[in-house]
Coordinates of all heavy atoms in Angstrom, one line a residue:
G362 N -5.2 22.1 8.0 CA -4.7 23.2 7.2 C -3.5 23.8 7.7 O -2.5 24.1 7.0
A363 N -3.4 24.0 9.0 CA -2.2 24.6 9.7 C -1.0 23.7 9.5 O 0.1 24.1 9.3 CB -2.5 24.9 11.1
G364 N -1.3 22.4 9.6 CA -0.2 21.4 9.5 C 0.4 21.4 8.0 O 1.6 21.4 7.8
I365 N -0.5 21.4 7.1 CA -0.1 21.4 5.7 C 0.7 22.7 5.4 O 1.7 22.7 4.7 CB -1.3 21.3 4.7 CG1 -2.0 19.9 4.9 CG2 -0.9 21.6 3.3 CD1 -3.3 19.8 4.2
E366 N 0.2 23.8 5.9 CA 0.9 25.1 5.6 C 2.4 25.0 6.2 O 3.3 25.4 5.5 CB 0.2 26.3 6.3 CG -1.1 26.6 5.6 CD -1.0 27.5 4.4 OE1 0.2 27.7 4.0 OE2 -2.0 28.0 3.9
L367 N 2.5 24.6 7.4 CA 3.8 24.5 8.1 C 4.7 23.5 7.4 O 5.9 23.7 7.2 CB 3.6 24.1 9.6 CG 4.9 24.0 10.4 CD1 5.8 25.3 10.3 CD2 4.6 23.7 11.8
A368 N 4.2 22.4 7.0 CA 5.0 21.3 6.3 C 5.5 21.9 5.0 O 6.7 21.7 4.7 CB 4.1 20.1 6.1
Y369 N 4.7 22.5 4.2 CA 5.2 23.0 2.9 C 6.2 24.2 3.1 O 7.2 24.3 2.4 CB 4.0 23.5 2.0 CG 3.5 22.4 1.2 CD1 2.4 21.7 1.6 CD2 4.0 22.1 0.0 CE1 1.8 20.7 0.8 CE2 3.5 21.1 -0.8 CZ 2.4 20.4 -0.4 OH 1.9 19.4 -1.2
K370 N 5.9 25.0 4.2 CA 6.9 26.1 4.5 C 8.2 25.5 4.9 O 9.3 26.0 4.4 CB 6.3 26.9 5.6 CG 7.2 28.1 6.1 CD 6.5 28.9 7.2 CE 7.3 30.1 7.6 NZ 8.5 29.7 8.4
T371 N 8.2 24.5 5.7 CA 9.5 23.8 6.1 C 10.2 23.2 4.9 O 11.4 23.4 4.7 CB 9.2 22.7 7.1 OG1 8.5 23.3 8.2 CG2 10.5 22.1 7.6
A372 N 9.5 22.6 4.0 CA 10.1 22.0 2.8 C 10.6 23.1 1.9 O 11.7 22.9 1.3 CB 9.0 21.2 2.0
Q373 N 10.0 24.2 1.7 CA 10.5 25.3 0.9 C 11.7 25.9 1.5 O 12.6 26.3 0.7 CB 9.3 26.3 0.7 CG 8.2 25.8 -0.2 CD 7.1 26.8 -0.2 OE1 6.0 26.6 0.4 NE2 7.3 27.9 -0.9
E374 N 11.7 26.1 2.8 CA 12.9 26.8 3.4 C 14.2 25.9 3.2 O 15.3 26.5 3.2 CB 12.6 27.0 4.9 CG 11.6 28.1 5.2 CD 11.3 28.2 6.6 OE1 11.7 27.3 7.4 OE2 10.6 29.2 7.0
H375 N 14.0 24.6 3.1 CA 15.2 23.8 3.0 C 15.2 23.1 1.6 O 15.7 21.9 1.5 CB 15.2 22.7 4.1 CG 15.2 23.4 5.5 ND1 16.3 23.9 6.1 CD2 14.1 23.7 6.3 CE1 16.0 24.4 7.2 NE2 14.7 24.3 7.4
F376 N 14.6 23.7 0.6 CA 14.5 23.2 -0.7 C 15.8 22.8 -1.3 O 16.8 23.6 -1.3 CB 13.7 24.2 -1.6 CG 13.3 23.6 -2.9 CD1 12.0 23.0 -3.0 CD2 14.1 23.7 -4.1 CE1 11.6 22.5 -4.2 CE2 13.6 23.2 -5.3 CZ 12.4 22.6 -5.4
I377 N 15.9 21.6 -1.9 CA 17.1 21.2 -2.6 C 16.9 21.3 -4.1 O 16.1 20.6 -4.7 CB 17.5 19.7 -2.2 CG1 17.7 19.6 -0.7 CG2 18.7 19.3 -3.0 CD1 18.0 18.2 -0.3
K378 N 17.6 22.2 -4.8 CA 17.4 22.3 -6.2 C 17.9 21.1 -6.9 O 19.0 20.6 -6.7 CB 18.2 23.5 -6.7 CG 17.9 23.9 -8.2 CD 18.6 25.2 -8.6 CE 18.2 25.5 -10.0 NZ 18.9 26.8 -10.5
G379 N 17.0 20.5 -7.7 CA 17.3 19.3 -8.4 C 17.2 18.0 -7.5 O 17.5 16.9 -8.0
G380 N 16.7 18.2 -6.3 CA 16.5 17.1 -5.4 C 15.1 16.6 -5.3 O 14.2 17.0 -6.1
N381 N 14.9 15.7 -4.4 CA 13.6 15.1 -4.2 C 12.9 15.8 -2.9 O 13.2 15.5 -1.8 CB 13.7 13.6 -3.9 CG 12.4 13.0 -3.5 OD1 11.3 13.3 -4.0 ND2 12.5 12.0 -2.6
N382 N 12.1 16.8 -3.2 CA 11.5 17.6 -2.2 C 10.1 17.1 -2.0 O 9.3 17.2 -3.0 CB 11.5 19.1 -2.5 CG 12.9 19.6 -2.7 OD1 13.6 19.9 -1.7 ND2 13.4 19.7 -3.9
R383 N 9.7 16.6 -0.8 CA 8.4 15.9 -0.7 C 7.9 16.1 0.7 O 8.6 15.9 1.7 CB 8.6 14.5 -1.1 CG 7.3 13.6 -1.1 CD 7.6 12.2 -1.6 NE 8.1 12.2 -2.9 CZ 7.3 12.0 -4.0 NH1 6.0 11.9 -3.8 NH2 7.8 12.0 -5.2
V384 N 6.6 16.3 0.8 CA 5.9 16.2 2.1 C 5.2 14.8 2.1 O 4.6 14.4 1.2 CB 4.8 17.3 2.2 CG1 3.9 17.1 3.4 CG2 5.5 18.7 2.3

Side-chain angles (χ1 to χ4, degrees):
I365 292 171
E366 291 278 8
L367 180 56
Y369 273 96
K370 179 176 181 291
T371 304
Q373 289 173 255
E374 289 176 349
H375 304 280
F376 193 88
I377 301 175
K378 189 174 181 179
N381 175 36
N382 300 278
R383 185 175 296 266
V384 170

